[in-house]
Amino acid sequence: MPAGITDENLLVGFDTADDAAVYRINDETAIIQTVDFFPPMVDDPYLFGQIAAANALSDVYAMGGVPKLALNLLCFPSDSLPPEAVAAILAGGLDKVKEAGALLCGGHTVEDQEPKYGLSVTGFVHPDKVRTNAGAKAGDVLILTKAIGSGVVTTAGKAGLLSADQIKAVYSTMTTLNAAAAQVMAAYDVRACTDITGFGLLGHAAEMASASGKTIHISAKAVPLLPGAQESAEEGIIPGGLLRNQEYLKPDVRLEKGIPFAIADLLHDPQTSGGLLMSVSPDCAQEMYARLKAVCPDARVIGTVKEASDVKVMVSWE
Ligand code: CO
Ligand code: CO
Ligand code: CO
């Protein structure tokens, strides 16, 4: 943590690569503070607003909290983006904030050649119920709540390579709030949690492993993939962020022999509004997984946590 910003009530700050900051107000309540915004990955402005808001709200869910207040962050070129498109982006965001049961209370707009949208979100959590990257224990079961591949699939969609059903599936996953998954999580002994976003499944798993001082073992066969993801990756549809993740993670990840290259690529695929990765006590993992499946049909058990070895993440094909 940079010098000068220590405070006994700062429960989660800069040092564990967590999704948000958490600050204790009293013994019953801590606030979660987060911000996220980015340029459109889809053409439809209403859809973009929904995705950007779901993605920003997700960091509160990943910390075990409930979103309460949200503020818009909007950048757009007023000379070229029609007012209807701006209104549609904001309407998409508002609808997701309402669905989350939070209040959209204003925001800030900036003139910019490239549109960008997102939210700053404040959430509440009980100070004893904060989920961070740092608590995973050896023997824990790893559960992922959404299928991966949204980066590859949206890229393939832009190139006109996907069916209407495949496109529908990726849009549906990116606009789905992690609220239901977080609600199930709150009832169980989940020792660590993060959402899967720009660093991809392996990048966020490596952050959890590092913050927890453990090694995460992932069974690549068990990882749920979006429809069209594997085929698109096999055809060489690779977003730039995926290559950057691969380069960055090389020292931290061991990929065992036999993993198809397209699957290995997808494990590094940057996700937008991805699912929650949870490290769950083995005592309750089975029961929790059964409850999770009812609200997150794509949820899968994808691996386990072990004592630290020479890499942060080991991936096998079995
Ligand atoms: Co996050
Ligand atoms: Co974030
Ligand atoms: Co977290």
Side-chain angles (χ1 to χ4, degrees):
M1 191 178 298
I5 25 178
T6 52
D7 183 319
E8 57 174 2
N9 290 314
L10 185 63
L11 304 181
V12 180
F14 216 65
D15 38 352
T16 51
D18 256 295
D19 300 295
V22 184
Y23 190 88
R24 177 175 38 217
I25 295 174
N26 56 41
D27 289 346
E28 298 299 312
T29 309
I31 56 164
I32 301 172
Q33 184 71 55
T34 182
V35 60
D36 239 310
F37 65 119
F38 45 56
M41 73 300 297
V42 294
D43 292 332
D44 178 333
Y46 177 73
L47 180 66
F48 169 54
Q50 288 183 299
I51 293 168
N55 181 76
L57 291 158
S58 174
D59 281 331
V60 172
Y61 295 124
M63 304 303 295
V66 177
K68 287 292 174 195
L69 302 173
L71 298 170
N72 286 320
L73 289 129
L74 178 65
C75 310
F76 72 101
S78 56
D79 53 350
S80 60
L81 194 70
E84 308 84 71
V86 175
I89 292 171
L90 294 174
L94 176 61
D95 282 353
K96 282 292 147 186
V97 172
K98 277 187 188 161
E99 187 186 328
L103 302 168
L104 190 58
C105 314
H108 188 71
T109 303
V110 172
E111 179 78 28
D112 192 346
Q113 271 319 295
E114 185 189 48
K116 298 171 194 77
Y117 175 64
L119 302 171
S120 164
V121 187
T122 302
F124 287 176
V125 64
H126 191 287
D128 301 336
K129 286 275 186 178
V130 179
R131 318 290 185 173
T132 71
N133 278 332
K137 292 190 169 70
D140 281 3
V141 175
L142 279 180
I143 298 179
L144 176 65
T145 67
K146 284 186 187 179
I148 64 165
S150 63
V152 165
V153 172
T154 49
T155 306
K158 275 187 197 151
L161 300 172
L162 294 180
S163 72
D165 280 353
Q166 288 169 330
I167 289 174
K168 212 174 128 190
V170 68
Y171 289 173
S172 150
T173 196
M174 290 192 295
T175 54
T176 298
L177 295 177
N178 283 323
Q183 207 178 353
V184 173
M185 172 164 80
Y188 290 94
D189 187 8
V190 175
R191 277 118 168 214
C193 178
T194 186
D195 59 347
I196 306 301
T197 54
F199 298 133
L201 176 61
L202 293 184
H204 291 280
E207 285 182 340
M208 186 183 282
S210 179
S212 301
K214 298 285 178 281
T215 290
I216 281 178
H217 289 240
I218 291 176
S219 165
K221 256 183 200 166
V223 175
L225 304 177
L226 282 165
Q230 188 169 353
E231 299 87 313
S232 302
E234 279 165 0
E235 282 170 37
I237 303 290
I238 301 296
L242 190 158
L243 297 173
R244 285 194 291 279
N245 286 344
Q246 267 173 338
E247 201 49 43
Y248 180 77
L249 286 167
K250 236 176 226 167
D252 295 331
V253 172
R254 183 173 307 134
L255 296 158
E256 282 178 7
K257 283 205 181 74
I259 302 170
F261 78 92
I263 304 285
D265 285 350
L266 288 165
L267 297 173
H268 296 87
D269 184 35
Q271 303 299 284
T272 302
S273 190
L276 299 181
L277 178 68
M278 306 176 186
S279 183
V280 189
S281 159
D283 299 338
C284 62
Q286 221 166 8
E287 188 191 319
M288 190 187 117
Y289 180 60
R291 268 187 64 186
L292 208 48
K293 287 291 285 179
V295 288
C296 304
D298 289 340
R300 296 286 182 278
V301 172
I302 63 160
T304 54
V305 178
K306 296 191 179 169
E307 292 302 345
S309 67
D310 57 330
V311 287
K312 292 176 185 167
V313 185
M314 298 258 286
V315 186
S316 64
W317 183 248
E318 52 192 25

